[in-house]
Amino acid sequence: MNRFKTWSKRIALTLIALLLLIALSLWLFLRASLAQLDGERRVAGLQAEVSITRDANGVPTIAGKDRNDVAYATGFVHAQERYFQMDLLRRNAAGELSELFGARALNADKAHRLHRFRARASQFVAAMPADERQLLERYVAGINDGLNALGARPFEYALLGQVPRPWALEDSLLVVWAMYFDLQGNLEGRELARGWLRAHSSPEQLAFLLPDATEWDATIDQDLQLGAAAPLPATAPAWWGKAGTRDLRRVASLFQPDPTLAVGSNNSVVAGSRSADGGAIVSDDMHLGIMLPNTWYRAVLQYPDAQGAPRRIVGVTLPGAPLVVAGSNGKLAWGFTNSYGDYLDLIEVAARDGQLRLPEGWVKPSVHQEQILVKGAAPETLVVQETALGPVRSVDGKQYVVHWTAHQAGAVNLRARLLEGVASIDEALPLAASLGIPAQNFTAGDAAGHIGWTVAGPLPQRSGVGADSSYPLKAEDPGARWQGLIPAAEHPMVRDPAGGQIWTANSRQLAGPDAARIGDGGFDLGARSKQLRDSLQALGPRTDVAKVYQVMLDDRAVFLSPWRERALRVLQKPGAASGARAEALRLLQTSWSGHASTDSVGYRITRGYLHALYDLLFEGVNGELARLDERASFAGASARWPALLARLIDAQPAAWLPRGYKDWDALQLAALDRVIADLTQDGKPLAQATWGARNTSGIAHPIAGAVPFLKGWLSTPPDQLAGDNHMPRVAGRSFGQSERMSVTPGKEEQGLFAMPGGQSGHPLSPFFLAGHASWAAGKAMPLLPGPSIHTLRLYP
């Protein structure tokens, strides 16, 4: 017995030692893939020494004597801290995710491989100007050296059983095309949805259902003089209000904007005439899906200009690209928001004998066999037909040519690097218009106090004749063929408006004739833009960086307040508020702060009431639209649907009341009953259903879904987040302000910044979540890095 006990102890100790050894080995392996922060390295191809200093948050200052050397060092740090993120971006654009994740990514790969962006990237690289190519070559060399300098492959590849593929010049262009999908990927679904609605509604009904503008729009060129709203038609379409199958996935993420419809980004600039020190104040918060690591990587780039004077650019970079995306160069500061213009046409084409009917006549498309590698399975072959206007897509028995600015020459370039040396608005606006990026609202201000706006990126030159291009076109329509792209000098521009401020928030920008050059590709309702405009005006004739920064944190429920009044009105009618409705009424009255605050139950009920009305009216038609495209829905066809519902609820026309309800009050009560049931389905009382309990951060590393036991290690804390859509402080579980920045060019030391997640994508790095707590709490950090605590030097 003693001998048995002795051996049992030895075996147990051996197993414990073995487990500790495995844990230590795993820890050492993970540590080996951390970025090098200190020391020296010899690098072939450098012109002179480059220093990479980092502060306590891991923000690097990359200083050299040559711009291409700085590009090399930028690539080095991007690869060491963000390579897996970069890999996902290039694979997403090229349709190559299945090689990493298997068949689960196959549908997404097929949808993206249709556009053959890797083949296009090779053509673009071949045509690239020599100076751009040299900069890119040095950046790519830095990426591959940075990857190879790691002591072990990035941990994600070990978990997936993969080896990272080296970076190529084409991959950096694919990173930009990934942003095309992110920012303009809704356009095909939108056009298909609008085409279905046009086919199943009368012209009068369509004008009412899909308005061009509402009272919420706040344009920057002049006040939008709205004509009379389209009259309410005497009858509703046959599909109106039909019941459908409720999407349980949507219930599970109740009141979270559908990721395919989530729109966001605010930027603004206040003129020097209104700032405390005479320089313009630029503010920018780009709203995106948020993961770990964050989309952006902070950096300061320093090098001498052509005259030898020191140049410093501070802001955010996109790993995979060698330049600052948004920031300040000391003389000019700039930021972006998605412009949501009409940049894609679906052209319905007839087919016969292997030919397609295009605007120029019958044409035989080229055919490409695209092989998609699939982890754990045989490769799949996708047959792509391509025409001069774009690839061919089949939907519901019809064939469409996808005519998209992303396919055009000039869709991707590195001209944004030239913003590093621009000193004035007059230089910046025409340059911005020539950038090869998904068309964005570019808002900027200079140190002299001048401000301006334009659309940066390609705009299609349409004939202006023929059918509305926000719907699918026929090949014979005169507008089906573009006359190239609008020249940069002819892009719409606004300079130094009388009010001393410019703002954009994804809604309609212009009221004048230049609006037609942009078109409408899914403008937001405009409530957020209007609130942003009014908040900036409320700052008065003199303001500063800190006050402008606070505008981004405005979570007042200006948009939802009238909907609360509607809910109160119907619940306060005799006999309406019985049972659970009485508690809902009480909470609407008492748990309402007028903000999207985390402790408000009234806010959550109000928002739920609006969205439940949407569901009751559009569930049926959304089921029909989803058959065409997973991104097709009524809300995708028009983000102005809340204004439509407001007209109906207030007017209560009998002809538009869906079947099954005796009056509009009954419909509203059914919506409120649905909300109450959803909010109490977990057995908890309605009083505990706060907005914060719903709007809780779910930000995680993309690999967390594949290894659930590591999710807590690869996620942010479950922060309850104030804010929502339709207000400047946009916040959702994993969508919202991917950065916040306010700065006056030349006064960067006064600049303020915050972003979710930290600099590194490695969970063992001290920089993995550095700064996240400040972002979640709405606190600002200095834009410039703090004192250096790490220094890595690169020598020729």
Side-chain angles (χ1 to χ4, degrees):
M1 182 62 70
N2 290 336
R3 188 178 301 167
F4 176 78
K5 289 181 178 180
T6 300
W7 277 104
S8 296
K9 289 179 180 179
R10 288 177 179 176
I11 292 171
L13 290 172
T14 301
L15 289 174
I16 292 171
L18 183 60
L19 290 173
L20 289 173
L21 182 61
I22 292 172
L24 178 62
S25 299
L26 178 61
W27 184 80
L28 289 174
F29 175 79
L30 292 174
R31 292 281 304 172
S33 60
L34 285 168
Q36 181 180 354
L37 304 180
D38 297 285
E40 298 179 354
R41 300 188 67 88
R42 293 287 174 180
V43 175
L46 281 187
Q47 300 300 307
E49 175 190 342
V50 179
S51 65
I52 305 170
T53 60
R54 287 178 171 90
D55 71 354
N57 290 310
V59 180
T61 297
I62 303 172
K65 296 181 180 178
D66 179 82
R67 180 63 181 92
N68 290 337
D69 285 352
V70 170
Y72 173 92
T74 304
F76 189 92
V77 299
H78 279 171
Q80 292 228 312
E81 301 202 277
R82 298 288 192 90
Y83 195 79
F84 187 71
Q85 174 194 12
M86 296 160 57
D87 193 9
L88 293 186
L89 287 171
R90 66 174 172 179
R91 288 177 181 273
N92 183 44
E96 297 169 352
L97 289 169
S98 298
E99 188 177 1
L100 281 183
F101 299 107
R104 75 182 75 176
L106 195 53
N107 287 339
D109 276 355
K110 288 180 178 179
H112 289 190
R113 186 67 70 90
L114 177 74
H115 301 275
R116 302 184 66 244
F117 281 134
R118 183 167 289 283
R120 295 181 194 277
S122 297
Q123 298 169 1
F124 279 39
V125 166
M128 188 174 285
D131 57 342
E132 278 191 19
R133 179 163 185 147
Q134 188 177 28
L135 180 79
L136 187 57
E137 286 173 342
R138 294 308 298 154
Y139 176 70
V140 170
I143 290 174
N144 288 320
D145 285 354
L147 176 64
N148 293 330
L150 293 172
R153 57 185 164 168
F155 78 95
E156 297 95 339
Y157 297 97
L159 292 172
L160 293 170
Q162 299 278 353
V163 175
R165 192 170 66 197
W167 200 260
L169 299 179
E170 292 82 1
D171 293 332
S172 287
L173 303 189
L174 287 169
V175 165
V176 182
W177 269 305
M179 298 308 291
Y180 269 95
F181 280 123
D182 197 10
L183 299 171
Q184 297 180 5
N186 66 309
L187 290 173
E188 289 180 59
R190 170 183 162 81
E191 292 223 350
L192 290 168
R194 291 172 72 86
W196 191 96
L197 292 168
R198 180 177 60 183
H200 295 83
S201 310
S202 71
E204 295 76 19
Q205 292 165 345
L206 203 65
F208 171 72
L209 292 165
L210 305 178
D212 294 330
T214 73
E215 69 276 11
W216 289 105
D217 284 295
T219 52
I220 62 175
D221 57 339
Q222 61 192 62
D223 288 339
L224 181 62
Q225 300 299 318
L226 289 172
L232 185 66
T235 60
W239 53 263
W240 176 258
K242 284 191 174 180
T245 302
R246 197 173 186 200
D247 188 344
L248 295 179
R249 291 171 300 175
R250 192 167 188 272
V251 175
S253 58
L254 192 61
F255 313 145
Q256 173 70 9
D258 182 333
T260 64
L261 302 178
V263 295
S265 296
N266 309 313
N267 67 11
S268 65
V269 57
V270 176
S273 59
R274 291 179 54 193
S275 74
D277 55 20
I281 304 172
V282 173
S283 186
D284 186 62
D285 56 300
M286 296 178 279
H287 306 164
L288 297 167
I290 302 174
M291 295 189 296
L292 293 177
N294 189 37
T295 301
W296 311 112
Y297 182 86
R298 298 177 63 184
V300 176
L301 309 183
Q302 292 183 176
Y303 59 92
D305 64 16
Q307 287 72 44
R311 176 178 290 171
R312 180 181 68 180
I313 304 95
V314 55
V316 294
T317 66
L318 177 64
L323 40 83
V324 171
V325 174
S328 176
N329 66 17
K331 297 181 180 179
L332 180 92
W334 67 94
F336 295 98
T337 66
N338 200 14
S339 59
Y340 283 93
D342 186 9
Y343 309 130
L344 179 148
D345 288 339
L346 289 181
I347 304 171
E348 185 180 345
V349 293
R352 73 176 187 192
D353 302 326
Q355 294 184 316
L356 300 174
R357 172 67 187 276
L358 296 180
E360 63 269 29
W362 291 96
V363 174
K364 185 174 183 178
S366 59
V367 179
H368 305 273
Q369 306 283 333
E370 291 287 321
Q371 188 180 69
I372 302 176
L373 301 179
V374 184
K375 180 184 177 183
E380 295 255 349
T381 298
L382 178 70
V383 178
V384 177
Q385 295 186 83
E386 193 159 23
T387 73
L389 298 185
V392 180
R393 177 184 176 185
S394 297
V395 181
D396 200 28
K398 298 179 180 180
Q399 289 188 297
Y400 298 92
V401 170
V402 183
H403 196 18
W404 188 14
T405 54
H407 302 145
Q408 307 301 302
V412 175
N413 60 43
L414 298 182
R415 288 182 59 79
R417 77 195 191 284
L418 300 178
L419 288 169
E420 297 173 3
V422 168
S424 71
I425 285 297
D426 287 340
E427 296 175 72
L429 295 186
L431 170 60
S434 72
L435 302 187
I437 59 174
Q440 300 287 291
N441 292 308
F442 173 86
T443 302
D446 61 32
H450 298 290
I451 62 176
W453 164 89
T454 189
V455 175
L459 298 179
Q461 180 83 65
R462 292 188 169 92
S463 66
V465 178
D468 185 343
S469 62
S470 67
Y471 298 89
L473 301 172
K474 300 283 189 180
E476 57 270 24
D477 287 332
R481 175 176 282 280
W482 302 343
Q483 285 73 53
L485 299 174
I486 296 176
E490 297 178 18
H491 277 220
M493 297 181 188
V494 173
R495 292 180 173 87
D496 290 330
Q501 65 181 47
I502 295 173
W503 64 95
T504 72
N506 314 117
S507 55
R508 181 171 175 167
Q509 307 95 333
L510 302 176
D514 276 348
R517 293 178 176 268
I518 303 169
D520 183 348
F523 286 145
D524 198 13
L525 173 66
R528 179 161 45 87
S529 183
K530 190 172 187 177
Q531 190 166 335
L532 179 61
R533 178 200 66 185
D534 294 347
S535 294
L536 290 169
Q537 288 176 342
L539 295 177
R542 282 289 180 272
T543 189
D544 57 33
V545 167
K547 292 175 182 176
V548 173
Y549 185 91
Q550 287 300 312
V551 171
M552 293 185 284
L553 299 172
D554 180 5
D555 59 12
R556 289 176 299 128
V558 175
F559 164 74
L560 271 188
S561 290
W563 286 101
R564 172 177 173 263
E565 294 301 320
R566 293 183 179 99
L568 287 171
R569 198 156 50 235
V570 72
L571 285 172
Q572 288 172 336
K573 290 188 176 181
S578 59
R581 292 179 193 165
E583 176 67 351
L585 174 59
R586 183 185 72 82
L587 291 166
L588 281 168
Q589 293 170 325
T590 62
S591 185
W592 172 268
S593 63
H595 294 254
S597 51
T598 57
D599 60 351
S600 176
V601 180
Y603 182 87
R604 189 172 178 186
I605 293 173
T606 301
R607 195 183 197 281
Y609 158 66
L610 170 60
H611 283 259
L613 283 170
Y614 171 85
D615 286 343
L616 291 172
L617 293 171
F618 297 112
E619 274 175 351
V621 70
N622 281 341
E624 293 292 330
L625 298 176
R627 293 192 307 104
L628 304 177
D629 187 288
E630 64 180 6
R631 295 192 174 203
S633 68
F634 188 87
S638 175
R640 300 184 175 100
W641 63 265
L644 164 70
L645 294 194
R647 287 188 66 186
L648 290 171
I649 294 298
D650 293 346
Q652 302 197 355
W656 284 73
L657 180 68
R659 289 182 180 178
Y661 301 98
K662 68 175 184 178
D663 54 30
W664 283 90
D665 287 352
L667 176 68
Q668 294 179 77
L669 291 173
L672 286 161
D673 288 343
R674 179 178 281 203
V675 174
I676 293 166
D678 288 335
L679 297 187
T680 57
Q681 62 182 334
D682 58 2
K684 295 180 181 179
L686 187 61
Q688 293 184 20
T690 63
W691 177 238
R694 168 61 192 88
N695 208 38
T696 300
S697 172
I699 302 170
H701 192 290
I703 208 73
V707 282
F709 61 93
L710 294 178
K711 188 170 183 179
W713 190 47
L714 296 170
S715 305
T716 63
D719 305 298
Q720 293 194 355
L721 303 172
D724 191 12
N725 60 356
H726 297 311
M727 59 184 60
R729 189 173 186 173
V730 169
R733 285 180 168 177
S734 56
F735 181 89
Q737 296 171 318
S738 65
E739 48 78 47
R740 303 183 193 113
M741 177 185 70
S742 290
V743 61
T744 292
K747 305 286 185 181
E748 287 76 16
E749 67 280 359
Q750 300 173 9
L752 299 173
F753 187 88
M755 75 178 190
Q759 291 288 95
S760 175
H762 198 304
L764 290 185
S765 169
F767 312 135
F768 183 57
L769 291 179
H772 171 78
S774 293
W775 172 87
K779 296 178 181 178
M781 302 170 63
L783 174 63
L784 289 176
S788 299
I789 60 173
H790 298 285
T791 301
L792 175 64
R793 299 189 185 278
L794 309 179
Y795 293 102

mmCIF file of all heavy atoms in Angstrom, residues 536-553:
data_model
loop_
_atom_site.group_PDB
_atom_site.id
_atom_site.type_symbol
_atom_site.label_atom_id
_atom_site.label_comp_id
_atom_site.label_asym_id
_atom_site.label_seq_id
_atom_site.Cartn_x
_atom_site.Cartn_y
_atom_site.Cartn_z
ATOM 1 N N LEU A 536 -22.167 71.639 -33.186
ATOM 2 C CA LEU A 536 -21.043 72.513 -33.544
ATOM 3 C C LEU A 536 -21.456 73.979 -33.479
ATOM 4 O O LEU A 536 -20.699 74.827 -32.989
ATOM 5 C CB LEU A 536 -20.536 72.164 -34.949
ATOM 6 C CG LEU A 536 -19.819 70.825 -35.096
ATOM 7 C CD1 LEU A 536 -19.609 70.505 -36.569
ATOM 8 C CD2 LEU A 536 -18.468 70.846 -34.372
ATOM 9 N N GLN A 537 -22.658 74.276 -33.955
ATOM 10 C CA GLN A 537 -23.130 75.663 -33.892
ATOM 11 C C GLN A 537 -23.260 76.121 -32.446
ATOM 12 O O GLN A 537 -22.973 77.279 -32.125
ATOM 13 C CB GLN A 537 -24.475 75.780 -34.609
ATOM 14 C CG GLN A 537 -24.379 75.674 -36.119
ATOM 15 C CD GLN A 537 -25.737 75.706 -36.796
ATOM 16 O OE1 GLN A 537 -26.761 75.476 -36.169
ATOM 17 N NE2 GLN A 537 -25.748 75.973 -38.097
ATOM 18 N N ALA A 538 -23.654 75.216 -31.570
ATOM 19 C CA ALA A 538 -23.852 75.570 -30.164
ATOM 20 C C ALA A 538 -22.541 75.893 -29.452
ATOM 21 O O ALA A 538 -22.569 76.475 -28.357
ATOM 22 C CB ALA A 538 -24.567 74.435 -29.444
ATOM 23 N N LEU A 539 -21.411 75.548 -30.064
ATOM 24 C CA LEU A 539 -20.119 75.882 -29.453
ATOM 25 C C LEU A 539 -19.851 77.385 -29.482
ATOM 26 O O LEU A 539 -18.962 77.863 -28.777
ATOM 27 C CB LEU A 539 -18.989 75.132 -30.163
ATOM 28 C CG LEU A 539 -19.015 73.601 -30.030
ATOM 29 C CD1 LEU A 539 -17.881 72.990 -30.845
ATOM 30 C CD2 LEU A 539 -18.903 73.173 -28.573
ATOM 31 N N GLY A 540 -20.583 78.106 -30.322
ATOM 32 C CA GLY A 540 -20.470 79.559 -30.328
ATOM 33 C C GLY A 540 -19.345 80.094 -31.191
ATOM 34 O O GLY A 540 -18.703 79.352 -31.938
ATOM 35 N N PRO A 541 -19.096 81.399 -31.077
ATOM 36 C CA PRO A 541 -18.112 82.039 -31.956
ATOM 37 C C PRO A 541 -16.668 81.703 -31.624
ATOM 38 O O PRO A 541 -15.780 81.940 -32.439
ATOM 39 C CB PRO A 541 -18.381 83.536 -31.746
ATOM 40 C CG PRO A 541 -18.975 83.619 -30.383
ATOM 41 C CD PRO A 541 -19.779 82.372 -30.203
ATOM 42 N N ARG A 542 -16.392 81.172 -30.429
ATOM 43 C CA ARG A 542 -15.028 80.803 -30.056
ATOM 44 C C ARG A 542 -15.037 79.429 -29.387
ATOM 45 O O ARG A 542 -15.811 79.189 -28.456
ATOM 46 C CB ARG A 542 -14.409 81.826 -29.092
ATOM 47 C CG ARG A 542 -13.922 83.096 -29.754
ATOM 48 C CD ARG A 542 -12.657 82.828 -30.586
ATOM 49 N NE ARG A 542 -12.184 84.060 -31.224
ATOM 50 C CZ ARG A 542 -12.576 84.500 -32.411
ATOM 51 N NH1 ARG A 542 -13.478 83.795 -33.087
ATOM 52 N NH2 ARG A 542 -12.110 85.614 -32.910
ATOM 53 N N THR A 543 -14.194 78.540 -29.869
ATOM 54 C CA THR A 543 -14.143 77.202 -29.297
ATOM 55 C C THR A 543 -12.715 76.685 -29.344
ATOM 56 O O THR A 543 -11.798 77.391 -29.778
ATOM 57 C CB THR A 543 -15.118 76.257 -30.032
ATOM 58 O OG1 THR A 543 -15.201 75.035 -29.312
ATOM 59 C CG2 THR A 543 -14.671 75.984 -31.457
ATOM 60 N N ASP A 544 -12.520 75.449 -28.888
ATOM 61 C CA ASP A 544 -11.173 74.882 -28.861
ATOM 62 C C ASP A 544 -11.239 73.383 -29.132
ATOM 63 O O ASP A 544 -12.323 72.800 -29.284
ATOM 64 C CB ASP A 544 -10.477 75.176 -27.529
ATOM 65 C CG ASP A 544 -11.255 74.676 -26.317
ATOM 66 O OD1 ASP A 544 -11.934 73.626 -26.434
ATOM 67 O OD2 ASP A 544 -11.188 75.322 -25.248
ATOM 68 N N VAL A 545 -10.079 72.746 -29.176
ATOM 69 C CA VAL A 545 -9.981 71.333 -29.538
ATOM 70 C C VAL A 545 -10.770 70.464 -28.565
ATOM 71 O O VAL A 545 -11.486 69.535 -28.971
ATOM 72 C CB VAL A 545 -8.502 70.904 -29.588
ATOM 73 C CG1 VAL A 545 -8.375 69.384 -29.633
ATOM 74 C CG2 VAL A 545 -7.809 71.530 -30.795
ATOM 75 N N ALA A 546 -10.655 70.729 -27.270
ATOM 76 C CA ALA A 546 -11.322 69.893 -26.274
ATOM 77 C C ALA A 546 -12.839 69.943 -26.427
ATOM 78 O O ALA A 546 -13.529 68.920 -26.288
ATOM 79 C CB ALA A 546 -10.918 70.329 -24.867
ATOM 80 N N LYS A 547 -13.395 71.118 -26.706
ATOM 81 C CA LYS A 547 -14.843 71.237 -26.856
ATOM 82 C C LYS A 547 -15.330 70.555 -28.136
ATOM 83 O O LYS A 547 -16.389 69.906 -28.145
ATOM 84 C CB LYS A 547 -15.245 72.716 -26.853
ATOM 85 C CG LYS A 547 -15.040 73.393 -25.500
ATOM 86 C CD LYS A 547 -15.341 74.886 -25.589
ATOM 87 C CE LYS A 547 -15.080 75.563 -24.240
ATOM 88 N NZ LYS A 547 -15.274 77.034 -24.321
ATOM 89 N N VAL A 548 -14.559 70.675 -29.196
ATOM 90 C CA VAL A 548 -14.937 70.010 -30.437
ATOM 91 C C VAL A 548 -14.867 68.496 -30.267
ATOM 92 O O VAL A 548 -15.713 67.757 -30.781
ATOM 93 C CB VAL A 548 -14.043 70.487 -31.599
ATOM 94 C CG1 VAL A 548 -14.314 69.683 -32.865
ATOM 95 C CG2 VAL A 548 -14.267 71.974 -31.871
ATOM 96 N N TYR A 549 -13.891 68.028 -29.512
ATOM 97 C CA TYR A 549 -13.784 66.590 -29.245
ATOM 98 C C TYR A 549 -15.037 66.076 -28.547
ATOM 99 O O TYR A 549 -15.525 64.973 -28.839
ATOM 100 C CB TYR A 549 -12.543 66.324 -28.387
ATOM 101 C CG TYR A 549 -12.245 64.853 -28.148
ATOM 102 C CD1 TYR A 549 -11.416 64.151 -29.016
ATOM 103 C CD2 TYR A 549 -12.793 64.177 -27.071
ATOM 104 C CE1 TYR A 549 -11.134 62.809 -28.807
ATOM 105 C CE2 TYR A 549 -12.531 62.830 -26.854
ATOM 106 C CZ TYR A 549 -11.694 62.155 -27.720
ATOM 107 O OH TYR A 549 -11.434 60.826 -27.518
ATOM 108 N N GLN A 550 -15.565 66.848 -27.637
ATOM 109 C CA GLN A 550 -16.735 66.417 -26.872
ATOM 110 C C GLN A 550 -17.964 66.221 -27.752
ATOM 111 O O GLN A 550 -18.861 65.444 -27.400
ATOM 112 C CB GLN A 550 -17.039 67.426 -25.766
ATOM 113 C CG GLN A 550 -16.067 67.388 -24.605
ATOM 114 C CD GLN A 550 -16.050 66.026 -23.925
ATOM 115 O OE1 GLN A 550 -17.090 65.455 -23.602
ATOM 116 N NE2 GLN A 550 -14.849 65.504 -23.704
ATOM 117 N N VAL A 551 -18.015 66.890 -28.895
ATOM 118 C CA VAL A 551 -19.157 66.729 -29.789
ATOM 119 C C VAL A 551 -19.258 65.272 -30.255
ATOM 120 O O VAL A 551 -20.360 64.745 -30.448
ATOM 121 C CB VAL A 551 -19.041 67.686 -30.992
ATOM 122 C CG1 VAL A 551 -20.105 67.380 -32.044
ATOM 123 C CG2 VAL A 551 -19.175 69.137 -30.520
ATOM 124 N N MET A 552 -18.130 64.610 -30.412
ATOM 125 C CA MET A 552 -18.155 63.201 -30.829
ATOM 126 C C MET A 552 -18.785 62.299 -29.777
ATOM 127 O O MET A 552 -19.178 61.169 -30.070
ATOM 128 C CB MET A 552 -16.732 62.715 -31.132
ATOM 129 C CG MET A 552 -16.098 63.365 -32.343
ATOM 130 S SD MET A 552 -14.481 62.665 -32.745
ATOM 131 C CE MET A 552 -13.455 63.404 -31.475
ATOM 132 N N LEU A 553 -18.881 62.777 -28.538
ATOM 133 C CA LEU A 553 -19.435 61.992 -27.436
ATOM 134 C C LEU A 553 -20.883 62.379 -27.122
ATOM 135 O O LEU A 553 -21.438 61.963 -26.105
ATOM 136 C CB LEU A 553 -18.569 62.168 -26.189
ATOM 137 C CG LEU A 553 -17.115 61.705 -26.354
ATOM 138 C CD1 LEU A 553 -16.296 62.090 -25.134
ATOM 139 C CD2 LEU A 553 -17.046 60.212 -26.603
#
